[in-house]
Amino acid sequence: MPSYCEVALPLPLDQTFTYEVREGQRPTRGARVIVPFRREKLIGIVVKVDSSRPADFEVRALEAVLDEDREDPLLSESLLSLGEWMAQYYLAPLGEVLRGMLPLMAEVRRTVSYRITDLGRDVLAASLDGDGFLTPSGSSPQTGSRAGQNSPQEPEVQRLVLDRLASGEAVRVSTLRSATGASLALLATMLRKKWISREKSAAERDARRIERFAVLLPEVRLPSLTPNQQAILAELAACGGEMRVADLRGKQLSSATLLTLVRRGIVRIDERAAAFRLGGIEGATPPVRLNEPQTDALASIASALGSFHAFLLHGVTGSGKTAVYLAAMKCALERNLAAILLVPEIGLTPQSVGLLDAAFGSRVALLHSALTPEERSEQWRRIRRGDAPIVVGTRSAIFAPVPNLGIILVDEEHDQSYKQEETPRYNARDVAVMRAKYANAVVVLGSATPSLESWQNSVQQKYTRIEMKERVKQRALPQVELIDMRREFQETGREHLFSRRLIEETQQAINRGEQAIILLNRRGYSFAVMCRACGAKLECQNCAIALTHHKASEDGMAREGQRLECHYCGFRRTVPARCPECDSEHLYFLGAGSQQGEERLAEIFPSARIGRMDRDTVRGRHDLERLLARLHSGEINLLVGTQMIAKGHDIHGVTLVGVVGCDHALSMPDFRAAERVFQLMTQVSGRAGRGELPGRVVVQTYHPDHYAVLAAAKHDYASFVERELKYRRWMHYPPFGVLANVLVQAPKLEQAAAWSETLGKWFQKNSPQGMRVLGPCTAPVARIKGIYRFHLILKASSRKLLNAALREMLLHADQAGVPRRNVIVDIDAQRLM
């Protein structure tokens, strides 16, 4: 029997840890284990089991093995291999990669406890001896929110805390606080003084979702009842004799009254597994018959099932790519193969789920971050058991543990939402290709505007390209009209949010009983507040970014309305009456967001039924489902929103799309700016004319002669790609080179600057031939959430060269005392901000 195992822990450390296996424990590769690490109990994944004893260091033993099924480990060999590849490719700690693969946090109970230290015992003894409650340095203690200012009760509370911990046993934080009245701030102060120590532990828990039902017992002789008891029995009788306890509470019926009925034997309480609602748009029906281009595409994909093959499905907007996805999934199911469909944002899941539910029913599972931890765990377990061979979700769904995977479909493969912006910083599109390779499956990357990397892979025949050049039912692509906002200003003498032409076209669409969508790709009311006197912008106190103005609600209250908000950290403040810098009263609200767009449209079109789709109106999946249902039913005939409205929505009543301010991204310091503007314009234009009526698009722009804008107006992907690839080739940017962004961050500006300088000097001396280093310099957003940021951009001719240099850099950073958690390596970076 093996005696030792290697465990990957969710820590920012590029190593695994060796633990001894106790008698009776049966860990296997891919199983979860609970292990001691310093003063904490962590959950890790076993990556190797060995019988040889490691040399030269003491080995601690496993606390517990959570998964002991040796025949069917929690993480399959294919997923483990994928995780190990990701750790190597993205230079990410293996433990953090594997943690992201397992959305099972609901199955773990985490607790925080405190224990007294030797120093704390000395302080407690001194206080009991009458020497005063002293700090180790002999100065008065500093607790609470303001240093050096103690309430008279704090020394007594501190003594109570130490007295409660005096036995030496660890005490849970909730128990300690209720027993002593200590605040979290006071405990944190005592922890900093090293009077107490904090311990974290983890244990397995039952994460099944349970609902409680009140059931009316039959043939019970009713005694005399109070009015409240009669009301509960009436509700139960009206609902067929049973009802959820939560629904009874929602009707303001007392829980105590219900328990009285239970004690009297009139009602019983049943616990049942909670039902899960997939959601989705009701009434969605999958297409019955495919046209010739769809049939040809399906034939190519179906013929490759059973082996690894990568396809790029390039189809214009409205060409019916979703129908091909559904048909390909059906072919996979007929061969007892499973399928995963990735969508870039939660906003696209209701439509996809509705179609999949109509086609495959209960065999569909849903995975995305808007689910509760218990729901994600439940769906993950369903998938692993084989109950749901069809999986739909956002980027993390690529790790769904489907047995016998046959096909992966990545919708809108170009979308930057597939790139995770926290460790591990993977791109789900590229991980999908590798997972298909490990699983011997087919992967289909679909888009009307493929990323240049995927396009170049198809040019080099790494991917098989499938073209769908026409819309279904021979529908025409929408006509696009460009409005030069420079000329609009010259002719009207004022700067308007909406041009005269867009207003005219919108009014005509509403008069005809049609629907219109207007893209205004900024949240809030105004995206900056500036002082006219001194020119200062009101910035976030935590981030080097201007605060966004969100206007008051109709009642004028400031609780969720008249505020300035940071979209990076969530910091809020009210709008000041005067400039904080120069005390001027002349504050100017700069620019317009979707909230202002909604207000202006309501003024211009008072009879329109207006809706807004952005992060402020859509906070959960049910909000989005309700909004989309109103749009599909025609209750909303004019929708304004951010880029959430641009992707994948199929609303047949929409005949007009307006694009406002889309081209501001052309001024961003990003080599992908032109590509993103072209993609966004093309995608949102594709929402028009998807039904029987033709579509029109009105694009307001300050750059009417830019090649990206002109190509998007002509729906000419080929000409855009030809020109953009020339620029990328000249500058050695992807896809003609590989790129990484190295971000150095620290809570102190001097520290971040010194560490970035250390790495910059190392690259100056050790940068290999074929690699260019830009920087170090301050990141475009120099501070986020109180953390200062510097970065270096690395371009190299080959992946091998880049990764080798980065590994050596990380080794040097460790030797130079730069903490690993403060150096972020972003391979194939999508954002350089």
Side-chain angles (χ1 to χ4, degrees), residues 78-86 101 399 431 434-435 438:
S78 175
L79 279 175
L80 272 175
S81 299
L82 180 66
E84 290 167 343
W85 173 83
M86 288 177 60
M101 287 185 165
F399 306 123
V431 173
M434 289 307 299
R435 177 155 193 203
Y438 281 117

Side-chain angles (χ1 to χ4, degrees), residues 9 11-17 37-38 92-96 820:
L9 296 177
L11 300 168
L13 299 172
D14 298 309
Q15 65 181 95
T16 57
F17 298 86
F37 185 83
R38 295 177 181 168
L94 179 59
E96 295 194 330
R820 178 66 174 89

Side-chain angles (χ1 to χ4, degrees), residues 63-79:
E63 287 282 334
V65 179
L66 300 183
D67 315 296
E68 293 193 338
D69 189 344
R70 301 179 66 84
E71 301 300 323
D72 187 20
L74 194 69
L75 278 179
S76 66
E77 188 60 38
S78 175
L79 279 175

Side-chain angles (χ1 to χ4, degrees), residues 544-607:
I545 200 76
L547 292 168
T548 299
H549 173 221
H550 290 254
K551 194 177 179 182
S553 54
E554 291 182 2
D555 60 8
M557 301 296 290
R559 58 182 184 274
E560 288 289 337
Q562 188 84 6
R563 68 182 191 272
L564 298 176
E565 181 178 343
C566 175
H567 292 166
Y568 280 84
C569 73
F571 169 76
R572 292 182 180 183
R573 62 163 295 176
T574 56
V575 178
R578 310 181 75 88
C579 173
E581 298 293 329
C582 70
D583 201 40
S584 168
E585 62 182 6
H586 301 292
L587 294 178
Y588 175 60
F589 296 92
L590 184 66
S594 54
Q595 188 185 24
Q596 185 175 156
E598 180 185 29
E599 181 183 280
R600 296 285 177 85
L601 290 172
E603 295 170 354
I604 299 170
F605 309 108
S607 63

